[in-house]
Amino acid sequence: MVDKNFDLHDKVDKYLLYIIGKPQSGWVSINPSPLTRGDFLYKLSHAKAPLKVVTYIPGETKELLFVQIALAFDLSYEKLMQEYALATPYVEGFLVPDTYYIPVGINEKHLVHFLLANAKKYHKDVFEKIFGEFNEAKWQKFLIIASIIQKEAANAEEMPLISSVIYNRLKKDMKLQMDGTLNYGQYSHTKITPQRIREDTSPYNTYMYKGLPPNPVCSVSKEAIFAAIFPKQTNYLYFVKNKNNGTHTFSQTYEAHLENIKN
């Protein structure tokens, strides 16, 4: 990787680069064979590493992202996870869902730091636009709520309604009892069954424990973040998926919720 503050002490090099062009920022592809000074400077100014495209969608976990990256770039999944754990305290939900153009030949450490640097800037920019200054603890809570919304909502329109149910239940000291909180880590696509609800004793089981999970359960879209920050004002405490179109029907009482389950 070429340092953005690349410094040339030789006047000839500076003159050649003035003619050839500025050094490229980022990864450049240079063959291992010997190069002349002019060829080397030309490479710094023009060479670009071949890129591969990786898309990280909202609702996925970093485990599945790193599996995808490991296969695409012939890297070690275990080392990607290790480098991530060494580089950040955020267990999940910090990496930004997006389409990334990643240079071939990058190693696990540089790739993880590339993803984290992008995420840090993104989250700071979004939070500051809304609140004026970045508060890490406050932001982490919003990411946890946004990740549950991301897992539960059928579409973006439902997200503020799902958010309202979460806040209403927390306010009443009710258990959230939401399947999506159990789709954490390697369980991202695991069907939630009554057996799983009984046997998962982790703090992500909101059927077993009150309050929010300790960390986000997945990557989150900007729509989910906004819904977590700006929930719709309702009295809803329950929702159930409609059998016909996959959206949800919301209700204020348990009796109405039972009726909705029947329909």
Side-chain angles (χ1 to χ4, degrees), residues 7-52:
D7 188 24
L8 292 170
H9 300 286
D10 192 296
K11 290 183 179 179
V12 175
D13 290 342
K14 291 183 179 181
Y15 178 72
L16 285 172
L17 281 175
Y18 176 78
I19 297 173
I20 295 170
K22 292 181 180 179
Q24 296 292 312
S25 173
W27 291 86
V28 297
S29 179
I30 299 178
N31 294 329
S33 57
L35 298 172
T36 66
R37 174 182 287 183
D39 287 339
F40 174 71
L41 295 176
Y42 183 86
K43 284 283 189 180
L44 287 183
S45 303
H46 293 79
K48 287 286 187 180
L51 304 174
K52 285 188 177 180

Side-chain angles (χ1 to χ4, degrees), residues 54-56 60-88 90-96 100 102 107-116 185:
V54 172
T55 299
Y56 187 33
E60 285 294 4
T61 62
K62 72 177 188 300
E63 282 81 1
L64 293 181
L65 172 64
F66 287 156
V67 166
Q68 182 184 355
I69 288 174
L71 291 173
F73 291 87
D74 194 24
L75 296 175
S76 165
Y77 168 80
E78 289 76 16
K79 193 167 183 181
L80 286 166
M81 292 290 287
Q82 181 183 27
E83 292 293 346
Y84 182 90
L86 289 172
T88 181
Y90 298 111
V91 175
E92 185 60 81
F94 189 62
L95 297 180
V96 180
Y100 295 96
I102 302 174
N107 63 28
E108 289 87 353
K109 183 176 182 178
H110 284 143
L111 195 152
V112 166
H113 281 265
F114 162 73
L115 293 174
L116 289 174

Side-chain angles (χ1 to χ4, degrees), residues 213-224:
N215 301 289
V217 294
C218 65
S219 63
V220 296
S221 63
K222 192 171 289 186
E223 291 82 3

Side-chain angles (χ1 to χ4, degrees), residues 183-234:
N183 286 131
Y184 62 91
Q186 72 265 33
Y187 305 111
S188 179
H189 292 280
T190 301
K191 184 177 180 181
I192 306 305
T193 62
Q195 181 180 357
R196 174 80 194 287
I197 291 171
R198 289 194 303 270
E199 295 178 354
D200 191 314
T201 59
S202 76
Y204 292 93
N205 190 345
T206 54
Y207 286 92
M208 192 173 292
Y209 304 104
K210 290 181 179 180
L212 296 170
N215 301 289
V217 294
C218 65
S219 63
V220 296
S221 63
K222 192 171 289 186
E223 291 82 3
I225 293 174
F226 285 177
I229 298 171
F230 305 109
K232 194 172 183 64
Q233 298 303 307
T234 76

Side-chain angles (χ1 to χ4, degrees), residues 150-252:
Q150 192 75 58
K151 286 289 189 181
E152 295 287 344
N155 51 48
E157 289 71 29
E158 280 192 355
M159 287 182 174
L161 291 172
I162 298 288
S163 183
S164 75
V165 174
I166 293 172
Y167 281 104
N168 289 342
R169 280 181 162 260
L170 291 174
K171 188 176 181 179
K172 288 182 174 292
D173 198 32
M174 297 173 66
K175 294 176 183 176
L176 294 184
Q177 296 181 313
M178 295 187 182
D179 290 1
T181 61
L182 286 168
N183 286 131
Y184 62 91
Q186 72 265 33
Y187 305 111
S188 179
H189 292 280
T190 301
K191 184 177 180 181
I192 306 305
T193 62
Q195 181 180 357
R196 174 80 194 287
I197 291 171
R198 289 194 303 270
E199 295 178 354
D200 191 314
T201 59
S202 76
Y204 292 93
N205 190 345
T206 54
Y207 286 92
M208 192 173 292
Y209 304 104
K210 290 181 179 180
L212 296 170
N215 301 289
V217 294
C218 65
S219 63
V220 296
S221 63
K222 192 171 289 186
E223 291 82 3
I225 293 174
F226 285 177
I229 298 171
F230 305 109
K232 194 172 183 64
Q233 298 303 307
T234 76
N235 293 318
Y236 293 146
L237 292 171
Y238 306 91
F239 60 89
V240 63
K241 182 178 287 187
N242 295 312
K243 297 174 184 177
N244 296 328
N245 57 19
T247 60
H248 293 90
T249 299
F250 296 81
S251 54
Q252 299 180 29

Side-chain angles (χ1 to χ4, degrees), residues 92-93 137-150 166 176 181 211-218 220 228:
E92 185 60 81
K138 193 174 182 180
W139 188 241
Q140 179 72 353
K141 180 180 178 180
F142 285 133
L143 287 182
I144 293 172
I145 294 172
S147 73
I148 302 172
I149 295 168
Q150 192 75 58
I166 293 172
L176 294 184
T181 61
L212 296 170
N215 301 289
V217 294
C218 65
V220 296

